[in-house]
Amino acid sequence: MDALKHAIETNGTVLPGNILKVNSFLNHQIDPELMQQIGQSFADYFQKAGITKVLTVEASGIAPAVLTGLAMHLPVVFARKSKSLVVKDDVYSAKVYSYTKNTSNHIYVEKQFLDNTDRVLIIDDFLANGEATKGLIKITKAAGATVGGIGIVIEKTFQPGGAYLRDHDYDVLSLAKIASLDNQKVTFAD
Amino acid sequence: MDALKHAIETNGTVLPGNILKVNSFLNHQIDPELMQQIGQSFADYFQKAGITKVLTVEASGIAPAVLTGLAMHLPVVFARKSKSLVVKDDVYSAKVYSYTKNTSNHIYVEKQFLDNTDRVLIIDDFLANGEATKGLIKITKAAGATVGGIGIVIEKTFQPGGAYLRDHDYDVLSLAKIASLDNQKVTFAD
């Protein structure tokens, strides 16, 4: 997606440790028009996938997920994060390890918002090791729902999450694929 | 705003302790079309207020803020939450006490995203005691920016936040005003 790649090239910053900082338009400051284009791109690609619900995780996934839901006329659910395990009968939960922060979070969704009639489009801002996406898949399956697709704003193809998901036959659309952040320079995969 | 009041009446649940649960359309599951109407309502009201930036706090403020930014063609900034004080030279921060959770969070915004040329529209999902809004005002002022308006999705007028803000001459638009949640029943103020 050209507008997204342009935003990454123009406003992204590469920090040591292969970290791409895109907080001027994606995960601290948000460019709503770019999010609308992102949402429309996911809607176009997944329009025939029989999706009934968009699922993401707070906080950075919310903006692209809501614009996707708006374009697809579908409700959006965002999983909540909790430092501690949420032990309640009425939630589905998963443990998510963050390599960036070296901490684990628990994420959870109230059971009333997902059921076995749902076909879920998982949306997230980043795909690197795939931990957050795997947590959302786990929650989807626990509800008896199916994963109809996975939409990622920025994928780091030099980390294993994307390959893992495609090896497991998930339909993954990444709008920007980054092959390398070596020498603090963004190199796209395509 | 009729569509919002209808959603509150139809899908809201009142819990003991004057808590209104609206997580089926606002803060866990999100209704994107309703968020679009909410954003347009804020945009219509504040269109002549000279706003340059929309400011909210993660996570539940993001959806209404992004749709407001989209309607106003303005960037959106969401303050990040942190359990611990964020001590960095490059952030503005404020301490926010949550009466619901009986805990304090710190919220912060990187300095690069607010400056003294900005006129800020603060958006949040709820206004009750006003702690989160006051934190966003503090951050705005620390940046040398001005508050051009405050847009609230749901205000509990029986709690003191709204009166405090209006007494201090802020232009507050609340799209639904709730006068009482007594007897587990929603009574609107108007």
Side-chain angles (χ1 to χ4, degrees):
Chain A
M1 207 191 117
D2 289 344
L4 174 61
K5 284 184 182 173
H6 181 73
I8 293 168
E9 283 176 328
T10 312
N11 301 311
T13 314
V14 184
L15 302 182
N18 282 335
I19 293 170
L20 175 65
K21 213 171 171 185
V22 287
N23 61 3
S24 67
F25 59 92
L26 183 57
N27 47 24
H28 189 10
Q29 183 167 258
I30 296 170
D31 177 341
E33 266 102 6
L34 181 60
M35 291 303 130
Q36 189 178 44
Q37 293 177 57
I38 285 169
Q40 191 60 54
S41 298
F42 289 138
D44 290 347
Y45 184 85
F46 291 109
Q47 62 174 333
K48 294 183 178 167
I51 305 297
T52 63
K53 202 158 269 194
V54 177
L55 178 66
T56 188
V57 58
E58 65 174 341
S60 306
I62 295 175
V66 168
L67 275 301
T68 304
L70 189 66
M72 298 182 84
H73 308 287
L74 291 174
V76 176
V77 174
F78 65 91
R80 291 283 198 172
K81 282 180 188 167
S82 169
K83 274 286 152 205
S84 52
L85 181 63
V86 178
V87 188
K88 284 197 225 164
D89 286 343
D90 60 349
V91 303
Y92 302 113
S93 66
K95 191 173 176 179
V96 173
Y97 177 72
S98 166
Y99 287 87
T100 322
K101 295 175 185 165
N102 191 25
T103 55
S104 285
N105 272 305
H106 291 83
I107 64 173
Y108 65 94
V109 170
E110 290 194 19
K111 287 186 179 176
Q112 60 179 313
F113 298 129
L114 280 179
D115 66 37
N116 62 11
T117 65
D118 279 318
R119 194 163 162 80
V120 170
L121 174 57
I122 292 172
I123 298 287
D124 211 357
D125 58 337
F126 269 98
L127 174 61
N129 289 290
E131 294 299 305
T133 306
K134 286 180 204 170
L136 292 171
I137 291 172
K138 186 183 171 191
I139 284 172
T140 301
K141 288 185 172 173
T146 55
V147 177
I150 298 169
I152 300 294
V153 180
I154 301 174
E155 177 181 346
K156 295 173 171 175
T157 60
F158 59 91
Q159 290 182 271
Y164 173 90
L165 294 172
R166 292 182 184 97
D167 285 349
H168 286 73
D169 286 334
Y170 291 106
D171 188 4
V172 183
L173 175 67
S174 297
L175 299 181
K177 289 182 179 176
I178 292 175
S180 160
L181 293 170
D182 290 348
N183 305 315
Q184 302 199 22
K185 186 179 166 301
V186 176
T187 306
F188 290 107
D190 39 22
Chain B
M1 207 191 117
D2 290 344
L4 174 62
K5 284 183 182 174
H6 181 73
I8 293 169
E9 284 176 327
T10 312
N11 301 311
T13 314
V14 185
L15 301 181
N18 282 335
I19 293 171
L20 175 65
K21 213 170 170 187
V22 287
N23 62 3
S24 66
F25 60 90
L26 184 57
N27 47 24
H28 188 10
Q29 183 168 258
I30 296 170
D31 176 342
E33 266 102 7
L34 181 60
M35 290 305 129
Q36 190 179 41
Q37 293 178 56
I38 285 169
Q40 191 61 54
S41 298
F42 289 138
D44 291 345
Y45 184 84
F46 290 109
Q47 63 175 334
K48 292 184 178 167
I51 305 297
T52 63
K53 201 158 270 196
V54 177
L55 177 67
T56 188
V57 57
E58 65 172 341
S60 306
I62 295 175
V66 168
L67 274 301
T68 303
L70 189 66
M72 298 183 82
H73 308 286
L74 291 175
V76 176
V77 174
F78 65 92
R80 290 283 197 173
K81 282 180 186 168
S82 169
K83 274 287 151 204
S84 52
L85 181 63
V86 178
V87 188
K88 284 197 227 165
D89 287 344
D90 60 350
V91 304
Y92 302 113
S93 65
K95 191 173 176 179
V96 173
Y97 178 72
S98 165
Y99 286 86
T100 323
K101 295 177 185 164
N102 191 25
T103 55
S104 285
N105 272 306
H106 292 84
I107 64 173
Y108 65 94
V109 170
E110 290 193 19
K111 287 185 179 176
Q112 59 178 314
F113 298 127
L114 281 179
D115 66 36
N116 62 10
T117 66
D118 279 317
R119 193 161 163 81
V120 171
L121 174 58
I122 292 172
I123 298 287
D124 210 358
D125 58 337
F126 270 97
L127 173 61
N129 288 290
E131 293 300 303
T133 307
K134 286 180 203 170
L136 293 171
I137 291 171
K138 185 183 172 189
I139 283 173
T140 302
K141 287 184 173 173
T146 55
V147 177
I150 298 170
I152 301 294
V153 181
I154 301 174
E155 177 181 347
K156 295 174 172 175
T157 59
F158 58 91
Q159 289 182 271
Y164 173 91
L165 295 172
R166 292 182 183 97
D167 286 349
H168 286 74
D169 286 334
Y170 291 106
D171 188 3
V172 183
L173 175 67
S174 297
L175 299 181
K177 288 183 180 176
I178 292 174
S180 160
L181 293 170
D182 290 347
N183 305 314
Q184 302 199 22
K185 186 179 165 301
V186 176
T187 306
F188 290 107
D190 40 20

